[in-house]
Amino acid sequence: MEAQRTIQRLIDHITFGHGIHLFLQVLLLEFASVFLTFQFSNSLLLQISNPNFFIGVYAATSVIFLGILFLFTAKMRKRTFSPPLQQVRRLAISILGYIAASGVVITFGYLLLILATTGRTGIGRLDYVFSVMLTTLFAALLAVGYHARVVDKQPDRETITGTVTAWQDSLAWVNEDDRSHAKQDAYDEFTNRMNDLSELLSNAKTVHGRQLRRDFEAWRDDFETHSELSKETIIKGQGENKNERLEQEHQKLESIQRRLRIIAGEQK
């Protein structure tokens, strides 16, 4: 079970929780296009009379495609509810995953296809640079195509940030004067914002996102069983004489808040 979860966490770096089938669909469409276009690419390579110039052009174009890949993978990870995916090093893993998948397409669709159909016995610098350009191109197309499939299924960044921030702010109801109308109104606002957050987290699809949703719902269920005084203690924390159960729930709340701040971009 743990091995399966580890694999799923790795897959989340390229699917962002939306399933490998969509990713493979886009990848297979790219692979099919290889067989329709690479024969023309091979002809272009054979006719090039100034390879050094085109090596520079292909290298510069590869950088542009890499920038597009970076942009779209960064946008997708920001729409997830996975705190680890917000880390820059995890973004690098996502980018490498797309490049690796594209590299498989290029290796089998370009190098092997052209060598097999033309009888060429060697590969020059131009071939390698052109292969790199095609790899970054297909990786960018893969990210753009996958992004188009999944982005509309997730709340936008403004909704995520706004909902998380509103709930965090609503915790201040404990600071209102006791038995005042302002405190009751503030508590009602906290309840509403908690409902909003619960609805928001229902969109979580990654392994870490679903875990956050389960932790929040479990904490919420326990929280609502307590008296108003105990609820305040859970949110504020305790002094020296600690009730073990309330302290545990306070620590769970802090863990949830920390992960939510990461998702909202307030903490790294």
Side-chain angles (χ1 to χ4, degrees):
M1 180 62 70
E2 183 58 33
Q4 182 179 354
R5 285 174 59 85
T6 300
I7 293 173
Q8 185 58 54
R9 284 194 291 266
L10 290 174
I11 293 175
D12 280 344
H13 285 79
I14 58 174
T15 66
F16 301 98
H18 290 274
I20 195 66
H21 61 287
L22 287 176
F23 180 84
L24 290 176
Q25 182 178 354
V26 178
L27 183 64
L28 289 174
L29 287 173
E30 289 189 357
F31 190 80
S33 69
V34 168
F35 291 90
L36 298 176
T37 61
F38 277 173
Q39 290 185 8
F40 298 101
S41 300
N42 182 46
S43 298
L44 287 173
L45 282 177
L46 293 176
Q47 296 172 11
I48 288 176
S49 59
N50 187 357
N52 289 332
F53 171 76
F54 279 93
I55 285 175
V57 171
Y58 293 157
T61 306
S62 298
V63 174
I64 294 174
F65 292 148
L66 189 61
I68 295 174
L69 173 61
F70 173 85
L71 175 64
F72 278 85
T73 50
K75 288 177 65 177
M76 283 190 284
R77 77 187 179 106
K78 288 295 185 180
R79 302 286 281 269
T80 72
F81 296 87
S82 173
L85 286 180
Q86 309 302 316
Q87 300 173 5
V88 175
R89 65 185 180 88
R90 299 301 182 107
L91 175 59
I93 295 175
S94 298
I95 291 174
L96 290 175
Y98 276 89
I99 290 177
S102 180
V104 172
V105 173
I106 300 305
T107 298
F108 287 95
Y110 174 58
L111 297 179
L112 298 184
L113 178 62
I114 289 180
L115 289 178
T117 57
T118 64
R120 293 173 62 184
T121 58
I123 301 177
R125 285 193 305 153
L126 186 59
D127 295 288
Y128 284 118
V129 178
F130 188 58
S131 298
V132 170
M133 184 194 72
L134 288 177
T135 298
T136 55
L137 168 61
F138 274 80
L141 287 174
L142 186 60
V144 171
Y146 196 74
H147 177 273
R149 293 296 187 92
V150 305
V151 69
D152 290 337
K153 298 181 180 180
Q154 290 293 96
D156 56 34
R157 282 295 301 166
E158 290 75 14
T159 299
I160 295 173
T161 302
T163 302
V164 170
T165 301
W167 180 73
Q168 299 270 34
D169 293 343
S170 71
L171 292 169
W173 69 270
V174 297
N175 298 323
E176 298 289 343
D177 292 336
D178 292 338
R179 294 181 297 277
S180 66
H181 291 296
K183 186 161 191 173
Q184 183 59 50
D185 291 342
Y187 181 77
D188 292 340
E189 176 69 12
F190 164 72
T191 301
N192 292 334
R193 299 290 76 79
M194 190 150 54
N195 291 334
D196 292 342
L197 182 58
S198 179
E199 182 177 352
L200 179 75
L201 292 177
S202 68
N203 295 284
K205 300 182 184 300
T206 61
V207 171
H208 289 101
R210 293 196 301 268
Q211 184 62 55
L212 174 58
R213 180 184 65 202
R214 288 192 294 267
D215 290 347
F216 174 75
E217 295 298 343
W219 175 85
R220 180 183 182 182
D221 289 341
D222 290 339
F223 179 79
E224 291 179 343
T225 63
H226 292 289
S227 66
E228 182 174 331
L229 181 60
S230 293
K231 289 178 179 179
E232 291 189 34
T233 302
I234 291 172
I235 293 176
K236 288 182 177 179
Q238 303 177 81
E240 296 181 357
N241 299 321
K242 296 183 178 180
N243 179 294
E244 184 175 349
R245 180 184 176 188
L246 297 183
E247 179 61 21
Q248 288 178 349
E249 293 188 36
H250 175 69
Q251 291 176 359
K252 290 178 182 178
L253 172 62
E254 289 188 325
S255 173
I256 292 169
Q257 285 183 287
R258 181 174 61 256
R259 285 178 281 171
L260 287 172
R261 283 194 294 268
I262 294 173
I263 289 171
E266 301 174 4
Q267 177 178 318
K268 299 297 182 182

